[in-house]
Amino acid sequence: MAGSGRGRRRGASPQSRAGMAFVAAYVLLLIAFGILPTGYAVYFAFTDAGGTFTGFTNFITTAQDFRFVDAVGHVTLYLVFWLVSLVLFVVGLALLLHRLASRTAGQALRFLYYIPGALAGAASVLVWLFMLDPTVSPVSSLLGLLGFDTFGEVIAPGNLALLFTVIAFWTGAGGWIVVMYGALNNIPKDVMEAAHIDGASAWQTAWHIQIPMLRKWIVYMVILAFAGGAQLFVEPQLLSLASVGVAGRDYSLNQLTYDFAFQMNNINGAAAVSVELLVVSVSAAALFVARSGFFDAD
Amino acid sequence: MPSRLLAGSVLAVFVVFFVLPVLWLVLAATKTDQQLVHDHPLSFGSWHTLKANWDALTAFQDNAILLWLGNSALYAAISLVITLCVAVPAGYALAMTEFRGRRTLLVSTLVVMLMPNATLVVPLFLEINAVGLIGTMWSIILPYAFYPFGVYLTYIYFTTAVPKDLLAAARMDGCSEFGVFRLVALPLATPVIALVGFFSFVANWTNYFLPYVMLPESDQMPVQVGVGNLLSNVPSFNPTVGELAIERPQLALATLVAITPVLVVFLFAQRFLVSGMLAGATKE
C-alpha cells in the first residue's frame, strides 16, 4: 500500500476516493441538468417529430420563418447598444469613482448604483414600464421633450432595443462598476505614482495605464453580458403582455423558441434555435477563455 | 475646477438614474391610481392608501400574492440547501484533492458556467417532461440546484485561501478524509458559503423563464411569474382586462413585495459581497 503512489494505482488512494465521493452529487446534477439537456437539444434539433434524422432541415425551416431574421436583427441591435453602453459607462463611472477624493462618498455611490441589482428579473421590467409611461412617469417631462406623449409612442418597435438596453443597464451596471472599481484598486500604487510624477494627466493615466490593466475584466464583462443578452426573454415577454399589439411576442430569439415549442408545437424547431444560441454563446465564451487566460488559476 | 465639477455632475446624474425609479416605486405603492397620475411623482400618498392597496392586492385571486411568495420561498430555500450541500464539497474536492477525471470536471464546470441557462429551458422542459415531473416543484428546484458558478467560487476560494498543508497536518493527526473536510475545511469556508448562498438565492428568486415554462398553473407560480401575471390584469397596460382588474399602485406594491426578500438578503450579505468576491474593492 505504501508504495502505491504511482501511475494508475493512485486512483485507489483514500484521498482520491474521498475526492470522488465529494464530487459525486455534483457530477450527477451536471449530467442531469447540464450535459443531458444539451445532448437532448442537439438530438431534437437534428431529428423530426418522429425521431428520424433530418440533417439541417430544422435549422433551415426555422431560419426561413418570417420572424427569424427580424429576431436576429433585434437581438443583434440590442447587443450592440447594450455592450457599448456597458463598456463606456461602467469603465467611465468606475474611473470617476476611483478618482473621488472622499472614500465615504465613493462607497455610498457604489452602493446606490448597486441597489437596482436587487430588482433583477420581472421586477426591473415592471419598474421601467412605469418609468416609460408618460402618464405616471417621474420623468414624463423628459419623455415629452423627446416627443413621447403616450406609452404606445414610447414603446414603439423602433425604440425597443434602446429601452431594453436601459433596463438591462439599470439592473446590471452597478455590480460591474463595483468589480471594475476593485480591479482599479489592485493596480500597484507605485505605478500610479510614477505616472503622476511624470506629469501624466488624469486622462492620460486612464488611457495608458488604468484601462489597459482593466482589459481582462472588460473582456470578461463583455462575454458574460453577450451571453446573457443573447438570451433576452423576460423583458420583451412582459412588454408584450403590457402592450397588446404594440410589442409582439416574437421580438427575441428566445421568445421564438418559446413560441415554436409551446404555441406551434414545433419542438424540433425550438431545439434548433436553442442549439444556435448555445453554439454562439459557448463559442464566445471559449474564445474568451482561450485568449484571455482568465481561468489560469489552475 | 471645471473638470471636477463635470465629474461630480456625471456621478450625480447616474445616482438619479439608478435611485429615482426605486424611490418612485416605493412612493407609488402609497397612492391611489388617481394620485399616481395627478400628484407630484415623488409625493407620499398615505398609509391608509397603502393599506387599501395591500387589501386590494391580496384580494386578487384570493391571496394569490401570498401564495406566490410562499412558493418562491419554498423553491429558493430547498434549491439553496441542495446547492450548498452539493457545490461546497465539490469545489473543495476539486481544489484540495487529486482524483481521476478532476481536470475534465473542472473544464466542463467552466464551460457549463459560461453557458447561459435560458437556452436550455426548452430542452430541460423536454427532459423533465420525459420523466413526468412537469408541474411539480422539482421541475424547477432540481435545475436551480445545479449551480456550477457556486462550485467554481468554492474551488477558487479553497485554492487561494486555504493552504493544503493545513489539511495534510490534520491527516497526519489521524483525521479521516471526511473529518478533514468537516472539521478543518468547512469552518474556514463560511465566507464562500455565504457568497454562494447569496448568488444562488438571488439567481433563483429572480428567474422567470424556467418557472414560466415548467409551472403553468397559477397556484404554483413563484412571485416573479406571478407579478407578470398581475401585469396582464392592469387595465392601463392591457385594455382588454375586464372587471377583476388590478390598478397600477397595487402592481407597484406587488413589485416591491416581490423584491423585498432579495433586498433583505442583500443587506445581510453586503459584508460578504465586499470582503469575499470583491476583495479588491475596498481600499486598505
Side-chain angles (χ1 to χ4, degrees):
Chain A
M1 282 296 280
S4 68
R6 210 158 60 83
R8 68 189 61 155
R9 295 250 300 274
R10 269 176 66 189
S13 82
Q15 214 207 75
S16 170
R17 259 183 290 136
M20 287 193 208
F22 282 136
V23 297
Y26 171 65
V27 170
L28 218 62
L29 288 181
L30 177 70
I31 292 170
F33 302 111
I35 296 170
L36 216 56
T38 311
Y40 228 51
V42 173
Y43 168 76
F44 272 91
F46 286 101
T47 51
D48 64 12
T52 323
F53 179 75
T54 57
F56 284 93
T57 312
N58 290 317
F59 293 89
I60 296 166
T61 327
T62 47
Q64 282 169 345
D65 188 282
F66 69 101
R67 300 166 300 177
F68 184 82
V69 176
D70 286 348
V72 172
H74 294 154
V75 172
T76 311
L77 187 64
Y78 162 71
L79 280 173
V80 171
F81 284 163
W82 162 226
L83 296 179
V84 169
S85 59
L86 203 58
V87 171
L88 228 57
F89 292 124
V90 164
V91 175
L93 286 171
L95 285 168
L96 281 180
L97 280 175
H98 198 254
R99 286 186 57 79
L100 219 57
S102 152
R103 231 189 99 180
T104 338
Q107 217 163 18
L109 285 176
R110 270 179 290 145
F111 179 70
L112 291 176
Y113 291 175
Y114 196 74
I115 289 178
L119 278 80
S124 65
V125 187
L126 291 171
V127 170
W128 280 89
L129 288 180
F130 287 121
M131 294 303 115
L132 299 171
D133 182 348
T135 51
V136 299
S137 173
V139 291
S140 52
S141 49
L142 186 66
L143 292 172
L145 275 180
L146 297 170
F148 301 120
D149 297 314
T150 67
F151 185 57
E153 284 171 23
V154 179
I155 58 165
N159 303 338
L160 291 181
L162 202 57
L163 300 183
F164 295 147
T165 301
V166 172
I167 300 178
F169 185 82
W170 185 73
T171 16
W176 285 117
I177 291 172
V178 176
V179 170
M180 294 296 162
Y181 184 91
L184 284 174
N185 266 347
N186 286 337
I187 297 176
K189 282 206 176 67
D190 31 334
V191 176
M192 296 294 289
E193 263 161 34
H196 189 71
I197 291 167
D198 289 348
S201 69
W203 179 250
Q204 286 168 324
T205 316
W207 192 250
H208 294 291
I209 297 171
Q210 291 173 305
I211 292 179
M213 287 186 134
L214 286 182
R215 209 187 114 255
K216 207 160 140 179
W217 286 102
I218 296 174
V219 179
Y220 181 54
M221 173 175 81
V222 167
I223 294 296
L224 285 193
F226 175 88
Q231 313 306 309
L232 192 66
F233 181 80
V234 59
E235 291 89 348
Q237 192 72 9
L238 284 183
L239 197 63
S240 72
L241 285 179
S243 70
V244 188
V246 183
R249 32 183 314 148
D250 47 14
Y251 182 86
S252 77
L253 286 168
N254 249 332
Q255 280 180 298
L256 266 194
T257 64
Y258 180 82
D259 244 42
F260 278 129
F262 301 107
Q263 306 294 320
M264 301 162 66
N265 253 322
N266 183 358
I267 293 283
N268 304 90
V273 180
S274 288
V275 167
E276 284 166 351
L277 278 171
L278 209 55
V279 168
V280 170
S281 303
V282 172
S283 326
L287 192 73
F288 164 72
V289 171
R291 294 289 298 276
S292 73
F294 196 85
F295 292 113
D296 282 352
D298 189 52
Chain B
M1 244 197 264
S3 81
R4 285 188 63 174
L5 198 68
L6 185 70
S9 9
V10 170
L11 290 172
V13 165
F14 275 93
V15 168
V16 174
F17 170 73
F18 283 115
V19 175
L20 182 75
V22 184
L23 190 64
W24 181 91
L25 186 73
V26 172
L27 293 168
T30 67
K31 296 189 232 186
T32 63
D33 201 60
Q34 282 289 320
Q35 286 175 315
L36 204 60
V37 177
H38 297 295
D39 286 9
H40 188 274
L42 296 180
S43 64
F44 178 81
S46 71
W47 294 109
H48 175 76
T49 316
L50 178 64
K51 174 77 172 64
N53 283 334
W54 174 252
D55 290 340
L57 178 63
T58 48
F60 180 82
Q61 287 181 7
D62 200 15
N63 278 325
I65 183 87
L66 298 181
L67 183 67
W68 295 332
L69 277 173
N71 289 340
S72 279
L74 183 73
Y75 305 153
I78 300 181
S79 46
L80 178 66
V81 171
I82 306 179
T83 296
L84 289 179
C85 292
V86 168
V88 176
Y92 164 81
L94 285 170
M96 305 307 257
T97 64
E98 282 294 336
F99 57 91
R100 270 182 66 187
R102 177 179 158 277
R103 231 197 124 79
T104 319
L105 192 57
L106 205 55
V107 172
S108 35
T109 299
L110 286 184
V111 174
V112 181
M113 190 182 99
L114 293 168
M115 203 154 90
N117 48 18
T119 36
L120 287 182
V121 167
V122 171
L124 271 175
F125 173 86
L126 299 173
E127 183 185 330
I128 303 269
N129 192 31
V131 292
L133 286 177
I134 290 296
T136 70
M137 63 177 191
W138 302 108
S139 65
I140 59 166
I141 287 180
L142 292 175
Y144 280 174
F146 170 57
Y147 194 50
F149 182 58
V151 174
Y152 179 71
L153 274 182
T154 322
Y155 162 74
I156 291 288
Y157 179 82
F158 278 116
T159 38
T160 53
V162 178
K164 276 190 176 173
D165 299 351
L166 204 62
L167 307 190
R171 285 190 192 109
M172 296 275 277
D173 290 346
C175 226
S176 72
E177 284 301 321
F178 182 72
V180 174
F181 172 68
R182 199 176 65 85
L183 299 170
V184 183
L186 212 49
L188 290 171
T190 328
V192 78
I193 291 174
L195 205 61
V196 173
F198 171 77
F199 283 126
S200 121
F201 176 83
V202 174
N204 297 340
W205 188 276
T206 56
N207 195 332
Y208 181 89
F209 197 9
L210 190 68
Y212 181 74
V213 166
M214 299 285 188
L215 302 171
E217 301 289 329
S218 171
D219 60 358
Q220 293 177 324
M221 284 177 184
V223 72
Q224 290 280 333
V225 183
V227 289
N229 198 24
L230 277 183
L231 172 68
S232 47
N233 285 289
V234 176
S236 350
F237 289 123
N238 186 0
T240 57
V241 187
E243 282 299 297
L244 292 163
I246 279 283
E247 292 194 316
R248 284 174 287 188
Q250 291 141 25
L251 181 64
L253 181 60
T255 311
L256 273 181
V257 168
I259 61 160
T260 308
V262 178
L263 276 180
V264 171
V265 173
F266 173 65
L267 287 177
F268 272 107
Q270 260 285 77
R271 201 163 279 277
F272 292 110
L273 289 182
V274 175
S275 66
M277 183 179 81
L278 312 166
T282 44
K283 282 188 175 173
E284 62 268 34

